Amino acid sequence: GAGGYQQGGFDFSDIFSQFSQGSQGGGAHFSSSFGASGYSPFFDMLFSNMGTSGGSRRSSADFGSFGGGSSRRSSAANKPLETELTISLAEAYNGTTKSVTIAKPAPCASCSGNGLFNGAPCSMCGGTGKVSATHTLEVKVPAGVTNGSKVRVRGENSGGICGDIMFKISIAPDATYKVEGRDLRCDLWVSLREAFLGGSVDLKLPNGKSISIKVAPRTPNGKMLRMSGLGLPNPRGQAGNILARLMVKLPENPTAEQLKGLDLLCPAQ
């Protein structure tokens, strides 16, 4: 899955077992899947190296050495955890900052993290010394990301979960446009009169602005109109295009007079 990277006998997907995206203005949410002890094997392994006898407390940048010393540091420490982040087309077009909440372990305040309270297993943490806590981080998504683009959040900004986190971007389906790389396809509806006599129609862009598109007289149904450079922006080069397919909307309830005029315009062969 998006967060299922496995290395060295533990599964990173335990950290991000569920991911749900809010509405356009909302944030994303992660929740962790804990076993009977209240925490995943990853967290048990993580805390076994923090504050135990003979061990030293590790910083968020040094989570790769799980009891093996620097010479045996896991290669997973250099690989960011990957998960998916879904955004709207407008957010991909304009750029955005998403609030993401991540579940992580924290020392139990009741027993000071040692699992015992007055000589008995702590009822607050079940004797594990750890309780669930959350951390909210801000993910800055630049304008012009496409499906599959990756946004990296460095370890110092990820709450010390497990180093860097890599968010793979997924653009949600849009009511107007279909995303194809950096190009945006859409249907542009015009009246029968506009198609035959010509005219102009407005098209709303993902940034909220509208453009006026000229329709030449006698433009056939299905003709593709190209608006260069108005697709998804590209920080490193040429922006994508908008490809609008002209669609003629026929009158739903034409009058007898209108039908007579159509018969004169298009006589039977």
mmCIF file of all heavy atoms in Angstrom, residues 199-246:
data_model
loop_
_atom_site.group_PDB
_atom_site.id
_atom_site.type_symbol
_atom_site.label_atom_id
_atom_site.label_comp_id
_atom_site.label_asym_id
_atom_site.label_seq_id
_atom_site.Cartn_x
_atom_site.Cartn_y
_atom_site.Cartn_z
ATOM 1 N N GLY A 199 -19.617 32.636 -32.026
ATOM 2 C CA GLY A 199 -19.854 33.360 -30.785
ATOM 3 C C GLY A 199 -18.699 33.134 -29.829
ATOM 4 O O GLY A 199 -17.580 32.795 -30.244
ATOM 5 N N SER A 200 -18.935 33.321 -28.558
ATOM 6 C CA SER A 200 -17.908 33.110 -27.532
ATOM 7 C C SER A 200 -18.554 32.496 -26.299
ATOM 8 O O SER A 200 -19.713 32.782 -25.980
ATOM 9 C CB SER A 200 -17.204 34.421 -27.168
ATOM 10 O OG SER A 200 -18.121 35.349 -26.630
ATOM 11 N N VAL A 201 -17.803 31.641 -25.627
ATOM 12 C CA VAL A 201 -18.273 30.998 -24.405
ATOM 13 C C VAL A 201 -17.190 31.136 -23.343
ATOM 14 O O VAL A 201 -15.990 31.234 -23.666
ATOM 15 C CB VAL A 201 -18.617 29.513 -24.638
ATOM 16 C CG1 VAL A 201 -19.841 29.365 -25.521
ATOM 17 C CG2 VAL A 201 -17.428 28.776 -25.244
ATOM 18 N N ASP A 202 -17.610 31.147 -22.085
ATOM 19 C CA ASP A 202 -16.672 31.279 -20.971
ATOM 20 C C ASP A 202 -16.305 29.903 -20.426
ATOM 21 O O ASP A 202 -17.146 29.000 -20.359
ATOM 22 C CB ASP A 202 -17.274 32.128 -19.856
ATOM 23 C CG ASP A 202 -17.418 33.593 -20.253
ATOM 24 O OD1 ASP A 202 -16.676 34.038 -21.155
ATOM 25 O OD2 ASP A 202 -18.286 34.283 -19.673
ATOM 26 N N LEU A 203 -15.042 29.770 -20.033
ATOM 27 C CA LEU A 203 -14.543 28.540 -19.413
ATOM 28 C C LEU A 203 -13.815 28.920 -18.134
ATOM 29 O O LEU A 203 -12.917 29.764 -18.148
ATOM 30 C CB LEU A 203 -13.600 27.794 -20.353
ATOM 31 C CG LEU A 203 -12.947 26.532 -19.785
ATOM 32 C CD1 LEU A 203 -13.998 25.462 -19.497
ATOM 33 C CD2 LEU A 203 -11.890 25.991 -20.759
ATOM 34 N N LYS A 204 -14.196 28.294 -17.033
ATOM 35 C CA LYS A 204 -13.572 28.580 -15.743
ATOM 36 C C LYS A 204 -12.340 27.706 -15.553
ATOM 37 O O LYS A 204 -12.396 26.487 -15.700
ATOM 38 C CB LYS A 204 -14.564 28.332 -14.598
ATOM 39 C CG LYS A 204 -14.054 28.801 -13.237
ATOM 40 C CD LYS A 204 -15.134 28.661 -12.174
ATOM 41 C CE LYS A 204 -14.640 29.174 -10.829
ATOM 42 N NZ LYS A 204 -15.697 29.048 -9.778
ATOM 43 N N LEU A 205 -11.215 28.334 -15.245
ATOM 44 C CA LEU A 205 -9.962 27.633 -15.014
ATOM 45 C C LEU A 205 -9.886 27.126 -13.572
ATOM 46 O O LEU A 205 -10.608 27.609 -12.694
ATOM 47 C CB LEU A 205 -8.785 28.562 -15.297
ATOM 48 C CG LEU A 205 -8.703 29.162 -16.706
ATOM 49 C CD1 LEU A 205 -7.502 30.105 -16.803
ATOM 50 C CD2 LEU A 205 -8.617 28.069 -17.748
ATOM 51 N N PRO A 206 -8.996 26.170 -13.294
ATOM 52 C CA PRO A 206 -8.863 25.664 -11.925
ATOM 53 C C PRO A 206 -8.410 26.711 -10.908
ATOM 54 O O PRO A 206 -8.554 26.496 -9.706
ATOM 55 C CB PRO A 206 -7.806 24.551 -12.066
ATOM 56 C CG PRO A 206 -7.923 24.108 -13.475
ATOM 57 C CD PRO A 206 -8.216 25.353 -14.247
ATOM 58 N N ASN A 207 -7.856 27.840 -11.373
ATOM 59 C CA ASN A 207 -7.461 28.896 -10.435
ATOM 60 C C ASN A 207 -8.607 29.852 -10.116
ATOM 61 O O ASN A 207 -8.417 30.851 -9.422
ATOM 62 C CB ASN A 207 -6.268 29.682 -10.982
ATOM 63 C CG ASN A 207 -6.571 30.372 -12.306
ATOM 64 O OD1 ASN A 207 -7.703 30.383 -12.780
ATOM 65 N ND2 ASN A 207 -5.544 30.950 -12.920
ATOM 66 N N GLY A 208 -9.812 29.564 -10.647
ATOM 67 C CA GLY A 208 -10.981 30.386 -10.348
ATOM 68 C C GLY A 208 -11.258 31.464 -11.368
ATOM 69 O O GLY A 208 -12.349 32.034 -11.379
ATOM 70 N N LYS A 209 -10.292 31.753 -12.237
ATOM 71 C CA LYS A 209 -10.491 32.768 -13.266
ATOM 72 C C LYS A 209 -11.226 32.170 -14.467
ATOM 73 O O LYS A 209 -11.207 30.960 -14.673
ATOM 74 C CB LYS A 209 -9.143 33.346 -13.705
ATOM 75 C CG LYS A 209 -8.376 34.051 -12.589
ATOM 76 C CD LYS A 209 -7.044 34.578 -13.102
ATOM 77 C CE LYS A 209 -6.268 35.282 -11.995
ATOM 78 N NZ LYS A 209 -4.954 35.792 -12.476
ATOM 79 N N SER A 210 -11.859 33.034 -15.233
ATOM 80 C CA SER A 210 -12.567 32.588 -16.434
ATOM 81 C C SER A 210 -11.924 33.188 -17.673
ATOM 82 O O SER A 210 -11.421 34.313 -17.644
ATOM 83 C CB SER A 210 -14.043 32.997 -16.370
ATOM 84 O OG SER A 210 -14.725 32.293 -15.348
ATOM 85 N N ILE A 211 -11.937 32.430 -18.758
ATOM 86 C CA ILE A 211 -11.451 32.914 -20.035
ATOM 87 C C ILE A 211 -12.587 32.826 -21.051
ATOM 88 O O ILE A 211 -13.497 32.003 -20.920
ATOM 89 C CB ILE A 211 -10.236 32.117 -20.537
ATOM 90 C CG1 ILE A 211 -10.600 30.635 -20.690
ATOM 91 C CG2 ILE A 211 -9.060 32.291 -19.602
ATOM 92 C CD1 ILE A 211 -9.503 29.817 -21.341
ATOM 93 N N SER A 212 -12.551 33.702 -22.057
ATOM 94 C CA SER A 212 -13.552 33.688 -23.106
ATOM 95 C C SER A 212 -12.965 32.997 -24.340
ATOM 96 O O SER A 212 -11.878 33.360 -24.801
ATOM 97 C CB SER A 212 -13.972 35.122 -23.455
ATOM 98 O OG SER A 212 -14.960 35.136 -24.455
ATOM 99 N N ILE A 213 -13.679 32.007 -24.836
ATOM 100 C CA ILE A 213 -13.202 31.231 -25.978
ATOM 101 C C ILE A 213 -14.074 31.549 -27.186
ATOM 102 O O ILE A 213 -15.307 31.436 -27.126
ATOM 103 C CB ILE A 213 -13.252 29.725 -25.675
ATOM 104 C CG1 ILE A 213 -12.365 29.406 -24.460
ATOM 105 C CG2 ILE A 213 -12.814 28.907 -26.885
ATOM 106 C CD1 ILE A 213 -12.428 27.961 -24.026
ATOM 107 N N LYS A 214 -13.443 31.954 -28.274
ATOM 108 C CA LYS A 214 -14.177 32.274 -29.498
ATOM 109 C C LYS A 214 -14.487 30.997 -30.272
ATOM 110 O O LYS A 214 -13.628 30.140 -30.450
ATOM 111 C CB LYS A 214 -13.371 33.234 -30.362
ATOM 112 C CG LYS A 214 -13.232 34.630 -29.771
ATOM 113 C CD LYS A 214 -12.495 35.567 -30.723
ATOM 114 C CE LYS A 214 -12.407 36.977 -30.141
ATOM 115 N NZ LYS A 214 -11.697 37.900 -31.070
ATOM 116 N N VAL A 215 -15.728 30.911 -30.711
ATOM 117 C CA VAL A 215 -16.174 29.777 -31.517
ATOM 118 C C VAL A 215 -16.430 30.285 -32.928
ATOM 119 O O VAL A 215 -17.257 31.177 -33.139
ATOM 120 C CB VAL A 215 -17.441 29.138 -30.932
ATOM 121 C CG1 VAL A 215 -17.910 27.969 -31.795
ATOM 122 C CG2 VAL A 215 -17.188 28.679 -29.492
ATOM 123 N N ALA A 216 -15.716 29.747 -33.884
ATOM 124 C CA ALA A 216 -15.868 30.185 -35.273
ATOM 125 C C ALA A 216 -17.202 29.708 -35.846
ATOM 126 O O ALA A 216 -17.745 28.688 -35.420
ATOM 127 C CB ALA A 216 -14.719 29.641 -36.117
ATOM 128 N N PRO A 217 -17.783 30.460 -36.780
ATOM 129 C CA PRO A 217 -19.032 30.013 -37.414
ATOM 130 C C PRO A 217 -18.886 28.627 -38.049
ATOM 131 O O PRO A 217 -17.837 28.295 -38.590
ATOM 132 C CB PRO A 217 -19.285 31.085 -38.480
ATOM 133 C CG PRO A 217 -18.554 32.295 -37.989
ATOM 134 C CD PRO A 217 -17.335 31.770 -37.293
ATOM 135 N N ARG A 218 -19.965 27.861 -37.924
ATOM 136 C CA ARG A 218 -20.046 26.528 -38.497
ATOM 137 C C ARG A 218 -18.951 25.594 -37.968
ATOM 138 O O ARG A 218 -18.389 24.771 -38.709
ATOM 139 C CB ARG A 218 -20.035 26.590 -40.028
ATOM 140 C CG ARG A 218 -21.280 27.264 -40.609
ATOM 141 C CD ARG A 218 -21.226 27.380 -42.121
ATOM 142 N NE ARG A 218 -20.167 28.269 -42.578
ATOM 143 C CZ ARG A 218 -20.243 29.602 -42.543
ATOM 144 N NH1 ARG A 218 -21.324 30.206 -42.054
ATOM 145 N NH2 ARG A 218 -19.259 30.336 -42.996
ATOM 146 N N THR A 219 -18.673 25.716 -36.669
ATOM 147 C CA THR A 219 -17.728 24.801 -36.039
ATOM 148 C C THR A 219 -18.417 23.455 -35.807
ATOM 149 O O THR A 219 -19.482 23.404 -35.182
ATOM 150 C CB THR A 219 -17.230 25.362 -34.690
ATOM 151 O OG1 THR A 219 -16.570 26.612 -34.909
ATOM 152 C CG2 THR A 219 -16.266 24.393 -34.027
ATOM 153 N N PRO A 220 -17.865 22.374 -36.281
ATOM 154 C CA PRO A 220 -18.542 21.084 -36.155
ATOM 155 C C PRO A 220 -18.516 20.556 -34.721
ATOM 156 O O PRO A 220 -17.614 20.864 -33.943
ATOM 157 C CB PRO A 220 -17.746 20.179 -37.097
ATOM 158 C CG PRO A 220 -16.387 20.790 -37.149
ATOM 159 C CD PRO A 220 -16.609 22.277 -37.039
ATOM 160 N N ASN A 221 -19.518 19.770 -34.411
ATOM 161 C CA ASN A 221 -19.587 19.119 -33.107
ATOM 162 C C ASN A 221 -18.384 18.184 -32.935
ATOM 163 O O ASN A 221 -18.011 17.442 -33.829
ATOM 164 C CB ASN A 221 -20.886 18.319 -33.003
ATOM 165 C CG ASN A 221 -21.056 17.706 -31.629
ATOM 166 O OD1 ASN A 221 -21.165 18.404 -30.638
ATOM 167 N ND2 ASN A 221 -21.090 16.382 -31.569
ATOM 168 N N GLY A 222 -17.755 18.237 -31.763
ATOM 169 C CA GLY A 222 -16.619 17.371 -31.478
ATOM 170 C C GLY A 222 -15.268 17.964 -31.807
ATOM 171 O O GLY A 222 -14.241 17.338 -31.521
ATOM 172 N N LYS A 223 -15.238 19.162 -32.391
ATOM 173 C CA LYS A 223 -13.953 19.782 -32.740
ATOM 174 C C LYS A 223 -13.160 20.077 -31.473
ATOM 175 O O LYS A 223 -13.693 20.554 -30.478
ATOM 176 C CB LYS A 223 -14.173 21.068 -33.527
ATOM 177 C CG LYS A 223 -12.859 21.754 -33.950
ATOM 178 C CD LYS A 223 -13.126 22.993 -34.757
ATOM 179 C CE LYS A 223 -11.835 23.722 -35.116
ATOM 180 N NZ LYS A 223 -10.942 22.887 -35.939
ATOM 181 N N MET A 224 -11.858 19.798 -31.494
ATOM 182 C CA MET A 224 -11.002 20.017 -30.344
ATOM 183 C C MET A 224 -10.350 21.399 -30.422
ATOM 184 O O MET A 224 -9.731 21.750 -31.432
ATOM 185 C CB MET A 224 -9.917 18.941 -30.272
ATOM 186 C CG MET A 224 -9.183 18.883 -28.948
ATOM 187 S SD MET A 224 -10.254 18.326 -27.593
ATOM 188 C CE MET A 224 -10.503 16.601 -28.048
ATOM 189 N N LEU A 225 -10.528 22.178 -29.364
ATOM 190 C CA LEU A 225 -9.925 23.507 -29.268
ATOM 191 C C LEU A 225 -8.782 23.446 -28.261
ATOM 192 O O LEU A 225 -8.938 22.920 -27.162
ATOM 193 C CB LEU A 225 -10.971 24.536 -28.840
ATOM 194 C CG LEU A 225 -12.244 24.608 -29.690
ATOM 195 C CD1 LEU A 225 -13.206 25.624 -29.112
ATOM 196 C CD2 LEU A 225 -11.904 24.938 -31.138
ATOM 197 N N ARG A 226 -7.651 24.012 -28.631
ATOM 198 C CA ARG A 226 -6.442 23.935 -27.808
ATOM 199 C C ARG A 226 -6.090 25.313 -27.256
ATOM 200 O O ARG A 226 -5.938 26.270 -28.008
ATOM 201 C CB ARG A 226 -5.286 23.379 -28.651
ATOM 202 C CG ARG A 226 -3.949 23.256 -27.928
ATOM 203 C CD ARG A 226 -2.875 22.906 -28.948
ATOM 204 N NE ARG A 226 -1.578 22.710 -28.337
ATOM 205 C CZ ARG A 226 -1.055 21.532 -28.064
ATOM 206 N NH1 ARG A 226 -1.741 20.431 -28.358
ATOM 207 N NH2 ARG A 226 0.134 21.425 -27.518
ATOM 208 N N MET A 227 -5.950 25.391 -25.923
ATOM 209 C CA MET A 227 -5.497 26.615 -25.257
ATOM 210 C C MET A 227 -4.116 26.342 -24.660
ATOM 211 O O MET A 227 -3.995 25.745 -23.589
ATOM 212 C CB MET A 227 -6.484 27.048 -24.168
ATOM 213 C CG MET A 227 -7.701 27.790 -24.705
ATOM 214 S SD MET A 227 -8.839 26.753 -25.653
ATOM 215 C CE MET A 227 -9.593 25.789 -24.370
ATOM 216 N N SER A 228 -3.086 26.787 -25.360
ATOM 217 C CA SER A 228 -1.708 26.471 -24.969
ATOM 218 C C SER A 228 -1.317 27.167 -23.665
ATOM 219 O O SER A 228 -1.636 28.342 -23.447
ATOM 220 C CB SER A 228 -0.733 26.877 -26.077
ATOM 221 O OG SER A 228 -1.005 26.164 -27.266
ATOM 222 N N GLY A 229 -0.611 26.422 -22.828
ATOM 223 C CA GLY A 229 -0.046 26.989 -21.611
ATOM 224 C C GLY A 229 -1.019 27.227 -20.481
ATOM 225 O O GLY A 229 -0.640 27.801 -19.453
ATOM 226 N N LEU A 230 -2.266 26.776 -20.622
ATOM 227 C CA LEU A 230 -3.255 27.012 -19.564
ATOM 228 C C LEU A 230 -3.539 25.764 -18.734
ATOM 229 O O LEU A 230 -4.407 25.774 -17.874
ATOM 230 C CB LEU A 230 -4.566 27.530 -20.165
ATOM 231 C CG LEU A 230 -4.496 28.923 -20.788
ATOM 232 C CD1 LEU A 230 -5.864 29.334 -21.318
ATOM 233 C CD2 LEU A 230 -3.999 29.946 -19.767
ATOM 234 N N GLY A 231 -2.791 24.688 -19.008
ATOM 235 C CA GLY A 231 -2.925 23.483 -18.196
ATOM 236 C C GLY A 231 -2.150 23.619 -16.898
ATOM 237 O O GLY A 231 -1.879 24.718 -16.420
ATOM 238 N N LEU A 232 -1.782 22.484 -16.304
ATOM 239 C CA LEU A 232 -1.028 22.529 -15.053
ATOM 240 C C LEU A 232 0.312 23.225 -15.270
ATOM 241 O O LEU A 232 1.019 22.929 -16.237
ATOM 242 C CB LEU A 232 -0.802 21.115 -14.521
ATOM 243 C CG LEU A 232 -2.005 20.449 -13.850
ATOM 244 C CD1 LEU A 232 -1.714 18.983 -13.557
ATOM 245 C CD2 LEU A 232 -2.395 21.176 -12.573
ATOM 246 N N PRO A 233 0.672 24.156 -14.389
ATOM 247 C CA PRO A 233 1.956 24.857 -14.537
ATOM 248 C C PRO A 233 3.123 23.896 -14.356
ATOM 249 O O PRO A 233 2.986 22.832 -13.762
ATOM 250 C CB PRO A 233 1.909 25.916 -13.424
ATOM 251 C CG PRO A 233 0.909 25.410 -12.445
ATOM 252 C CD PRO A 233 -0.092 24.630 -13.223
ATOM 253 N N ASN A 234 4.265 24.293 -14.871
ATOM 254 C CA ASN A 234 5.479 23.487 -14.772
ATOM 255 C C ASN A 234 6.617 24.372 -14.286
ATOM 256 O O ASN A 234 7.090 25.231 -15.042
ATOM 257 C CB ASN A 234 5.819 22.872 -16.129
ATOM 258 C CG ASN A 234 7.001 21.925 -16.060
ATOM 259 O OD1 ASN A 234 7.624 21.761 -15.013
ATOM 260 N ND2 ASN A 234 7.329 21.298 -17.181
ATOM 261 N N PRO A 235 7.071 24.195 -13.038
ATOM 262 C CA PRO A 235 8.151 25.046 -12.515
ATOM 263 C C PRO A 235 9.437 24.924 -13.304
ATOM 264 O O PRO A 235 10.287 25.808 -13.251
ATOM 265 C CB PRO A 235 8.338 24.534 -11.081
ATOM 266 C CG PRO A 235 7.070 23.805 -10.750
ATOM 267 C CD PRO A 235 6.593 23.228 -12.043
ATOM 268 N N ARG A 236 9.609 23.832 -14.064
ATOM 269 C CA ARG A 236 10.871 23.592 -14.765
ATOM 270 C C ARG A 236 10.765 23.737 -16.278
ATOM 271 O O ARG A 236 11.702 23.398 -16.998
ATOM 272 C CB ARG A 236 11.392 22.189 -14.430
ATOM 273 C CG ARG A 236 11.681 21.978 -12.949
ATOM 274 C CD ARG A 236 12.196 20.573 -12.697
ATOM 275 N NE ARG A 236 12.471 20.344 -11.301
ATOM 276 C CZ ARG A 236 11.573 19.936 -10.417
ATOM 277 N NH1 ARG A 236 10.328 19.698 -10.821
ATOM 278 N NH2 ARG A 236 11.880 19.757 -9.156
ATOM 279 N N GLY A 237 9.609 24.169 -16.771
ATOM 280 C CA GLY A 237 9.498 24.270 -18.212
ATOM 281 C C GLY A 237 8.106 24.666 -18.677
ATOM 282 O O GLY A 237 7.406 25.432 -18.006
ATOM 283 N N GLN A 238 7.705 24.115 -19.823
ATOM 284 C CA GLN A 238 6.451 24.487 -20.458
ATOM 285 C C GLN A 238 5.253 23.939 -19.691
ATOM 286 O O GLN A 238 5.207 22.773 -19.324
ATOM 287 C CB GLN A 238 6.430 23.949 -21.894
ATOM 288 C CG GLN A 238 5.156 24.249 -22.665
ATOM 289 C CD GLN A 238 4.935 25.745 -22.872
ATOM 290 O OE1 GLN A 238 5.884 26.487 -23.105
ATOM 291 N NE2 GLN A 238 3.694 26.165 -22.792
ATOM 292 N N ALA A 239 4.275 24.820 -19.447
ATOM 293 C CA ALA A 239 3.040 24.396 -18.785
ATOM 294 C C ALA A 239 2.223 23.523 -19.732
ATOM 295 O O ALA A 239 2.433 23.512 -20.950
ATOM 296 C CB ALA A 239 2.232 25.612 -18.350
ATOM 297 N N GLY A 240 1.287 22.785 -19.177
ATOM 298 C CA GLY A 240 0.415 21.957 -19.992
ATOM 299 C C GLY A 240 -0.611 22.798 -20.733
ATOM 300 O O GLY A 240 -0.636 24.029 -20.640
ATOM 301 N N ASN A 241 -1.488 22.141 -21.476
ATOM 302 C CA ASN A 241 -2.507 22.812 -22.277
ATOM 303 C C ASN A 241 -3.901 22.409 -21.818
ATOM 304 O O ASN A 241 -4.081 21.391 -21.150
ATOM 305 C CB ASN A 241 -2.335 22.442 -23.756
ATOM 306 C CG ASN A 241 -0.920 22.676 -24.252
ATOM 307 O OD1 ASN A 241 -0.376 23.769 -24.107
ATOM 308 N ND2 ASN A 241 -0.319 21.644 -24.815
ATOM 309 N N ILE A 242 -4.879 23.204 -22.196
ATOM 310 C CA ILE A 242 -6.280 22.834 -22.041
ATOM 311 C C ILE A 242 -6.800 22.402 -23.407
ATOM 312 O O ILE A 242 -6.646 23.128 -24.396
ATOM 313 C CB ILE A 242 -7.119 23.989 -21.480
ATOM 314 C CG1 ILE A 242 -6.783 24.217 -20.005
ATOM 315 C CG2 ILE A 242 -8.607 23.692 -21.631
ATOM 316 C CD1 ILE A 242 -7.585 25.328 -19.350
ATOM 317 N N LEU A 243 -7.368 21.228 -23.460
ATOM 318 C CA LEU A 243 -7.929 20.684 -24.689
ATOM 319 C C LEU A 243 -9.438 20.576 -24.489
ATOM 320 O O LEU A 243 -9.924 19.709 -23.757
ATOM 321 C CB LEU A 243 -7.325 19.320 -24.996
ATOM 322 C CG LEU A 243 -5.783 19.296 -25.084
ATOM 323 C CD1 LEU A 243 -5.273 17.877 -25.222
ATOM 324 C CD2 LEU A 243 -5.307 20.163 -26.246
ATOM 325 N N ALA A 244 -10.166 21.500 -25.116
ATOM 326 C CA ALA A 244 -11.624 21.576 -24.945
ATOM 327 C C ALA A 244 -12.324 21.009 -26.171
ATOM 328 O O ALA A 244 -12.109 21.488 -27.290
ATOM 329 C CB ALA A 244 -12.050 23.027 -24.703
ATOM 330 N N ARG A 245 -13.160 20.016 -25.950
ATOM 331 C CA ARG A 245 -13.936 19.419 -27.042
ATOM 332 C C ARG A 245 -15.273 20.131 -27.154
ATOM 333 O O ARG A 245 -16.055 20.159 -26.209
ATOM 334 C CB ARG A 245 -14.156 17.929 -26.768
ATOM 335 C CG ARG A 245 -14.910 17.201 -27.869
ATOM 336 C CD ARG A 245 -15.021 15.729 -27.568
ATOM 337 N NE ARG A 245 -15.745 15.483 -26.320
ATOM 338 C CZ ARG A 245 -16.090 14.260 -25.893
ATOM 339 N NH1 ARG A 245 -15.766 13.199 -26.606
ATOM 340 N NH2 ARG A 245 -16.742 14.126 -24.748
ATOM 341 N N LEU A 246 -15.517 20.716 -28.315
ATOM 342 C CA LEU A 246 -16.756 21.475 -28.508
ATOM 343 C C LEU A 246 -17.935 20.514 -28.648
ATOM 344 O O LEU A 246 -17.917 19.598 -29.468
ATOM 345 C CB LEU A 246 -16.646 22.355 -29.737
ATOM 346 C CG LEU A 246 -17.769 23.386 -29.915
ATOM 347 C CD1 LEU A 246 -17.204 24.707 -30.382
ATOM 348 C CD2 LEU A 246 -18.823 22.894 -30.901
#
